[in-house]
Structures are given as C-alpha cells and as structure tokens.
Amino acid sequence: MAKQISSAGVKAAGPGPEPEASRDVGKAAAATMMAGPLAGGDHDMVGETSEEMDQERLKQIAAAGNAHFHRLGWKRLAVVTIVEAVALGALSLPAAFHTLGMLAGVVLTVTLGFVAIFTSWLVGQVKLRHPEAASYADAGRLLLGRLGYEVFGAALVLELVMVVGSHALTGSIALGSLAGGGGRVCSIVFSAVSAVVLLLLALPPSFSEVAILGYVDFASIVAAVGVTVVATGVQAADGPGGLAAVAWSAWPKDGVGFSQAFVAVSNIIFAFSFAIGQFSFMDEMHTPADYMKSIWASGLIQIAIYTLTGALCYAFVGPSVQSPALLSAGPLVSRIAFGVALPVIFISGSINSTVALRYIHGRIFRGSVLRYVKTPAGWATWIGLVAVFTLFAWVIAEAIPIFSDLLSLASALFVSGFSFWIPAIMWFRLLCRGKWYAGGNLLISLGSILAFVIGAVTLVAGTYSTIVDIIKETSDGSAHRPFACRSS
C-alpha cells in the first residue's frame, strides 16, 4: 500500500484542492525537480514501491504534482468548456430545428442555454463551498454518501464513454466523407482509426495542457460551421427561386411524433453539457473563484453558435438538412467542412476522455504518487486506462450507429441530471440557507425548480423516446445495423 505524505502538509492523495501554501511549496519543488535527479523522468523508480522510496522524493513528486494540476486560469477554462460541448452539439442542431420548427428551435436553444449557465453557477458554488469535491462523483457523496459517490461516478463514466463514442462515430463519418464514400473502405475501419486518434489525444493528463489544443479546436469548429453555413447559403441563393424557395418552417414538420420530437429536444439539451466536467475543471484552477467568468464566456458563445448554426443551416437547406449538419452542404463542400472539422471532432472527444479518466485514475491510485502521472509506472497505468476507455467508446459507437439517437440517449440518461436536475437538488440540499422561499432565496429556488422539471422530464421522456426511435429506425431498415459496414 502506498504511503500518504500528510505529515509534510503536501497531499499525496491526488491533485485535488490544497492550501495556497501547499501550492507555493509545489511550485518550488517543481523547480527543484527540474534541476535534480527526478528531472530525467524518474527512470530509476521503475518497479519500486512507495515504501522503497525516500520520503523526501515522495514529497517532491507530490508537491510538483499538485503544482502541475493547478495551472488552469479562467480563460483556458472557458476554452476547455466550449470545446467539450460545442463540437457535436452544433452539428446536431439544424436537424433538430427542422423537426421542432424554427420558432421552437430558437426559443429552446436560447432558454436552455441560460438555464445551463444558471445550473453551472450552482455547481460552481458547491465546489467553492466544498473544495474537496474533485469530480461529480464527490458531489454525489455530498448528497447521498457512499451510495451517491458510486452512482454518480458510474453515471459520469457512462455518459462520457457515450460522448467519446459519438466522437468516434462522427470521426468515422468525416473520414468516410473525405475518402469519397462509395463503400470502398468499410466504415468500421474509419471508426477504428478515429478511436486511435482519440486515444492519442487523450494522453495528456492535465486540462491546462489540453486547453492549448482547445484553441485549435475552437477555430476548427467555427471554420467548419462557417464553411457549411456559407456554402449552403450560396447554394440556396443560386437555386431555383433563391432563398425564398427553401421550404423551412417556423412550426414542427408534418407528422412528427412525440418520440421524434423529444429526440430533437434531447439533442439541444446535449449541446449544453458543459457542467458535467465542471468539478474536475475547477479542481485544476489556480483561482477557482474566477469560474463564472469562464461560464459566462462559454455559455454565451455556445448560445450564439448553436442558434446561428441551427437557424441558418435549416433556413438555407430546408427539410433535407442532415445530422451531422456538415453532410448538408453537398459532397465537395462536405468534404472540405469535415476536413476543417477534424480537429474539433477529435480534440473535443479527447477532453471528455480526460474528464472520465482523471476520476477513474485518481480513484484507483488514491494515496499514491501514481495519481500524478509523474513516474513511469504512473504513465503506464494512465495509458492503459486511456486504451481501455477508448475501446469501450468505440464499441458503443458501433453498437448505436445513429448519430442523433446516440447523442439523445446520452443526453436523456445523463446530461439531464448533470446539467439540470442534480444542480437543482444541490441548491436545496447543499447551498440554500434558511427558507427556500425567503426573499434572498426565492428567485434561485424558482430557477432551480425549473431546472429540475426540465431535467426530470428529459430523463423520463427523452430516454423512452430515444429507445423507441432506435427500435423504429433499426427495424424498418432506415438505420445501419450495429457492427456492419455502412456507406459513407
């Protein structure tokens, strides 16, 4: 059993929150290590247990680990939360607008966006009041004890593995489109290649490192969406009758059933899933109190991108709009758009992998310096977990090869809770002081009740609707069979 270094005031239990003094010690120790024997990668520690190591070296590793995992500022946090959510969310919305109608699509996107900002504020307040909560699983412990820790932890991992599977599926579609389609290469090969890329990009264990890729990611999604919107707009303007001839509607499409409509609603809810990683992200911030700067920047940018993408693509393409939206621009432009979108497809997916794996790895190696991924043994365990997690995500992508339904199922089962009804419960259980209807609490309480209703309805109706839709599409032949080659 690895020893904890508590006597020195430096936590070996993991990269969680610690006093400012510990952070200063960590920074100094990190500088010392760069010039000391540990700078070479701890090659002499392979195969050693913590009992065999010198206590001072353990302290140095733990201190440097804490310093390494507390470098995230609010600007980088904004980038991380944007790229975690925007990629697949933006690609699914034009088809959702077609199903629900332009009016309902715009109203729901804006409304749900501001509710998500509100619930993220609640999540951040819980983190500030309980700095020991390093993941959503720890929030579950605050609410329900050990049972909550286990249930929330399992839900966190399942949600994120489904999201990464969605990225693998999108990557398969993108690579197939770039290859020209036609069935020359089995789509399973493309999804396997996507999984390998997702694995490689998930190897950096720190969000501050991943955030650097996030700038590329953000530019990628803006460029890809921009290419698609401009191309579809030009095509619509040059078509017979011009833009006025596009048959978009402010109202739901004819014959839309409850299941199909709620799948579309769930896709919009999925687009605002950034709260799921918020505990983990804030745990790496050097100034956690700045988190709302990130949430406002991220939330408003997401609302703008989603509303413009959904409304403009639907207005330019009409009833033939597809999901992912990049398929709607015609063969040539779709290839260009997918080529530009490759960074966002893979980088965003890798960030979701990192959120899940930081929880899993930290839980397995609680109390051990392996948690900091600073030694060869730490890297070996981290890489192994990344490989296993990505494999599970790939299996899910092939088992549910329907893009909108895969997003909808993840949204209904998990995003409904992590982003809506669970933060509402946190307000009443962990944050509210005094009567919920007291003057200073009433508005927050009403907002929490609204968030709870949105989340609860999505959990029940969304899950039912998605399962019904998956059964329908697979039984009538309109969807591809699991683990089968499909045309690109």
Side-chain angles (χ1 to χ4, degrees):
M1 178 68 68
K3 295 180 180 177
Q4 294 190 12
I5 313 304
S6 57
S7 59
V10 179
K11 296 187 300 181
E18 80 288 340
E20 290 296 330
S22 296
R23 297 184 188 179
D24 293 338
V25 170
K27 294 176 182 177
T32 301
M33 291 170 64
M34 292 300 294
L38 297 179
D42 295 326
H43 60 276
D44 57 329
M45 294 168 58
V46 178
E48 295 183 15
T49 64
S50 58
E51 283 84 2
E52 297 168 335
M53 297 179 187
D54 179 76
Q55 287 292 306
E56 186 60 35
R57 295 172 68 200
L58 274 173
K59 294 174 186 177
Q60 289 181 327
I61 294 172
N66 274 316
H68 182 73
F69 284 102
H70 287 93
R71 300 179 298 157
L72 195 64
W74 75 264
K75 294 178 183 177
R76 284 192 177 184
L77 174 59
V79 171
V80 170
T81 53
I82 289 170
V83 301
E84 179 212 5
V86 165
L88 300 185
L91 302 184
S92 66
L93 290 190
F97 276 41
H98 167 50
T99 300
L100 300 170
M102 185 73 78
L103 180 61
V106 170
V107 170
L108 281 172
T109 301
V110 175
T111 302
L112 291 172
F114 279 105
V115 173
I117 291 174
F118 167 71
T119 55
S120 291
W121 174 77
L122 293 176
V123 170
Q125 291 300 302
V126 173
K127 173 62 178 173
L128 293 181
R129 188 169 293 182
H130 300 275
E132 72 278 7
S135 70
Y136 228 120
D138 292 324
R141 191 197 302 275
L142 294 173
L143 288 172
L144 298 170
R146 180 60 184 268
L147 175 63
Y149 179 74
E150 299 295 346
V151 171
F152 279 41
L156 176 74
V157 174
L158 287 173
E159 150 70 0
L160 292 172
V161 79
M162 292 179 71
V163 172
V164 177
S166 299
H167 283 268
L169 177 59
T170 310
S172 172
I173 296 171
L175 294 176
S177 177
L178 290 172
R184 289 188 293 273
V185 179
C186 179
S187 59
I188 295 179
V189 174
F190 290 132
S191 67
V193 171
S194 298
V196 172
V197 176
L198 287 166
L199 185 156
L200 295 175
L201 289 175
L203 292 180
S206 169
F207 295 119
S208 60
E209 295 162 344
V210 174
I212 297 173
L213 293 175
Y215 293 106
V216 178
D217 185 297
F218 181 65
S220 170
I221 190 61
V222 170
V225 169
V227 167
T228 304
V229 170
V230 171
T232 53
V234 170
Q235 292 170 5
D238 292 342
L243 291 173
V246 180
W248 66 269
S249 173
W251 310 109
K253 69 178 184 180
D254 293 338
V256 62
F258 176 81
S259 297
Q260 192 176 14
F262 221 92
V263 167
V265 173
S266 297
N267 279 182
I268 297 176
I269 288 175
F270 178 88
F272 296 105
S273 60
F274 51 89
I276 186 172
Q278 192 171 330
F279 283 104
S280 302
F281 297 153
M282 289 181 65
D283 201 51
E284 283 203 16
M285 293 185 74
H286 54 71
T287 311
D290 286 345
Y291 81 99
M292 273 311 295
K293 298 178 183 178
S294 305
I295 297 304
W296 276 114
S298 173
L300 293 177
I301 290 172
Q302 287 183 57
I303 290 171
I305 290 177
Y306 294 151
T307 305
L308 291 174
T309 302
L312 292 177
C313 281
Y314 177 42
F316 292 155
V317 179
S320 61
V321 69
Q322 299 183 60
S323 184
L326 303 187
L327 292 171
S328 303
L332 176 60
V333 177
S334 289
R335 289 188 197 127
I336 296 172
F338 271 124
V340 175
L342 284 179
V344 73
I345 293 171
F346 295 127
I347 294 173
S348 293
S350 69
I351 291 176
N352 286 282
S353 294
T354 304
V355 173
L357 293 167
R358 282 285 302 280
Y359 160 70
I360 298 172
H361 194 263
R363 175 172 178 169
I364 294 174
F365 298 106
R366 185 183 303 276
S368 169
V369 293
L370 295 183
R371 181 184 178 112
Y372 297 108
V373 197
K374 299 287 289 183
T375 66
W379 274 108
T381 55
W382 175 261
I383 293 172
L385 283 173
V386 173
V388 172
F389 184 85
T390 307
L391 176 62
F392 275 108
W394 176 79
V395 170
I396 288 177
E398 287 300 316
I400 311 177
I402 311 168
F403 178 76
S404 61
D405 280 335
L406 183 50
L407 295 190
S408 178
L409 187 61
S411 173
L413 287 174
F414 304 116
V415 177
S416 62
F418 290 127
S419 293
F420 293 95
W421 63 264
I422 294 175
I425 293 177
M426 288 177 180
W427 162 251
F428 291 105
R429 288 287 306 276
L430 303 176
L431 297 175
C432 186
R433 294 292 182 263
K435 300 294 186 180
W436 68 268
Y437 49 81
N441 295 331
L442 183 58
L443 286 179
I444 300 176
S445 296
L446 292 177
S448 298
I449 292 171
L450 173 63
F452 181 86
V453 170
I454 291 172
V457 171
T458 303
L459 173 63
V460 178
T463 302
Y464 167 79
S465 300
T466 304
I467 293 174
V468 169
D469 200 60
I470 291 174
I471 294 173
K472 175 181 177 298
E473 292 201 30
T474 52
S475 62
D476 65 13
S478 58
H480 303 292
R481 289 179 293 115
F483 297 98
C485 293
R486 51 191 182 272
S487 59
S488 302

